[in-house]
Amino acid sequence: MWRAGKNRSGARTSARLFAAYAVASLVPIGALGALMVHGTTEDAARWGRDQGRAQAAVIAEMTVAPALGGGDLSQGLTAEQRERLQHSTDLAIYNDSVLRLRVRDFAGRVVFSDDGTTAGGVSITDPAFVSASAGQTEASLLSAPELPGGQVIRVLQPIMASATGQSVGVLELYLPYAQIAARLHQQMTQTYWRLGGGLGVLYLVLALISWSTTRSLRRYAQRQAHEALHDALTGLPNRAAFHERAREAVAQPGEPGAIVLVDLDRFKEVNDTLGHHAGDELLGVVAGRLRDGLRPADTLARLGGDEFALILPRSDAGTVRRLLDELSAALAHEVVLDGVPLSIEASFGVALYPEHGRDVEELLRRADAAMYHGKRGASDIVVYAGEEMAAHSTQWLVVQAELRHALARDELVLHYQPKVDLRSGEVASVEALVRWQHPQRGLLPPSEFLPAAEQSGLIEPLTAWVLRRALADQAHWTSTGRCWSVSVNVSARNLEKPGFAEFVAGLVAEYGTSPGQLLLEVTETALAADARRAAQTVVDLSSRGIGISVDDFGTGFTGMSQLLGLPIAEVKIDRTFVADVLDSPQSQAIVRAVIALAHGLGSRVTAEGVETADVAYWLRRAGCDEAQGYLYSRPVPWLEIPMYEITGAAS
């Protein structure tokens, strides 16, 4: 409906433009036609006068002058002269080739007329008579309504004596214009037809040009309007069109609906790894899958980058949830870009109207808050749940900005938690845990800032900083006789970053550390995010002698089957299974199974969250290799980790 309305409006505008163009073109064409008609009429009148002069010259020379015989007209005519004139002019008068004929002297006196009268005629003061008396022929076209043709040609012709060649008087002739008018009418009719046909063809040509121009302008305007409101890459409505349609949808009274923001997860890695052409291709695939999963009344728009937006009118919360579940499932289907299979994941933030407001900007802010709340949690579809969520979203941005400054100002510190050998009770290795010495909020745990780093891309410089500081600290404690290996946590983003294995190996060489003294801990979720790329990175790291530990095992989406073939040095049992291992048969079974399977794969096993000696004893009896937790030490600076055997660890 929205698009049809725009098209009808454009068609009406184009029709008005063409009509105005057509009318405007008639004006010069009409003026040109009138000018040509006027010129033709003037030419006809001139031609009539010229004909009159020629006829008058013949009559004066061949008829009047011989009859006068060169006499002086001021003395009047003799009977013989009058008879000769009458005889010579009767035929012309009789044939109607002359309407009226008068012979006048220079004083204006009529000395002869065809009807015998001596009165009337042109005044002697008339410029035409004066000019004729001076020897010039004067012809005029006069109105004569009583005559056929409505006009008459009057000619004042000097009479030249045959003997002397001197002017002796003035011949005043009135010649019929009817024949000339008839010929003129015939000529004018032909001219009008030709002129009308020519102007008609000209007008049609101009009309065709104007129609073609108008159509081209309309198409250009439509194309410009479409480009102004649509994304060039996907063809979807852009941000401006989305806002316009969203305002229309939200304004509908009594109709619930939803504004949804969709943001692709880890899209930056596709651009960085495969290039922007692959990123563009991925956006096209996402746009197609989202479009195919929507209803006819729904709207899909691309707001920019990897962010899309949906308008879902006439939908309650349940309908919205079902639809988004289907879209999320459709997106998850594997796509191959440049020969690399990828799984598309996205986060959906939902704001319902009118429940969460009717202002589009407000709904977008709330949908944005819900979407980023989902990125921090375990759900990819989140419905806005109050101002607290929006506040968290704002705080998220603040943390990201402050964290950038923290890296630049070296406000981060590393604490270490020992991993204790359950048989010897000695510290076998330590795990590096980052803290933020915030200038206002004090020492912050990683839960306060690591999620923000994950989502903003800060995780890469943050991981680089932790690796450098951990390797530098390891060099210091090695120089004091503490031969501990060090574990550093890395994220899925790190594993998916091209060249990460080379980067880590370069740092190890830079700080003079043995590769076997560095262990990188990755979560199950990181291994599952892009299993193929993560597995390749794990293999590359292991080939350089750097160990890999699977952290929080049992809480993610992987299993031992996914670890087959991977060079895993350590499997860490999550604290959720360790905490109740003394009382829960299920936890005991899981822990024993993990220990057996890990050993079968050639990996050592470390239990997390060990807080009592009884738990440590049970784990040692079950075959667990190492343990870490508050029983031994909280995370502390490396100088505070005891070098001696930890009491009770092996009892």
Side-chain angles (χ1 to χ4, degrees), residues 40-250:
T40 303
T41 303
E42 286 293 319
D43 291 342
R46 188 181 307 110
W47 182 74
R49 289 192 295 271
D50 291 343
Q51 287 289 98
R53 289 190 186 94
Q55 189 173 347
V58 170
I59 292 174
E61 183 177 354
M62 302 299 295
T63 302
V64 176
L68 293 177
D72 185 4
L73 296 183
S74 63
Q75 301 298 320
L77 296 180
T78 65
E80 184 182 358
Q81 289 175 323
R82 187 178 300 278
E83 184 179 356
R84 285 199 302 266
L85 273 176
Q86 190 70 49
H87 177 75
S88 61
T89 58
D90 279 347
L91 183 60
I93 298 298
Y94 178 78
N95 291 332
D96 290 331
S97 61
V98 175
L99 297 176
R100 184 75 62 224
L101 183 149
R102 293 189 181 93
V103 177
R104 305 175 65 175
D105 61 16
F106 294 130
R109 184 166 54 92
V110 177
V111 297
F112 175 82
S113 67
D114 63 285
D115 59 355
T117 62
T118 59
V122 65
S123 170
I124 61 172
T125 60
D126 190 297
F129 186 86
V130 174
S131 178
S133 299
Q136 298 294 326
T137 302
E138 293 293 334
S140 302
L141 191 61
L142 305 179
S143 176
E146 71 281 3
L147 297 176
Q151 290 179 304
V152 64
I153 300 173
R154 184 193 69 186
V155 183
L156 298 177
Q157 171 71 32
I159 301 173
M160 302 296 178
S162 300
T164 63
Q166 296 294 320
S167 175
V168 296
V170 176
L171 175 64
E172 182 178 345
L173 282 176
Y174 291 87
L175 305 174
Y177 188 67
Q179 293 180 352
I180 297 175
R183 191 179 305 170
L184 175 62
H185 177 72
Q186 181 182 6
Q187 180 181 353
M188 288 293 291
T189 299
Q190 295 176 350
T191 301
Y192 286 151
W193 278 108
R194 292 170 182 170
L195 178 61
L199 292 179
V201 171
L202 176 61
Y203 180 74
L204 289 176
V205 171
L206 290 177
L208 180 61
I209 293 174
S210 69
W211 175 78
S212 176
T213 303
T214 303
R215 186 178 64 171
S216 298
L217 290 174
R218 182 175 69 251
R219 290 179 175 175
Y220 175 76
Q222 289 173 344
R223 185 167 60 252
Q224 291 295 100
H226 184 273
E227 291 175 356
L229 295 173
H230 288 78
D231 172 55
L233 176 63
T234 62
L236 296 175
N238 60 12
R239 184 180 295 272
F242 173 81
H243 277 261
E244 185 172 346
R245 298 191 191 186
R247 282 191 292 269
E248 293 177 3
V250 171

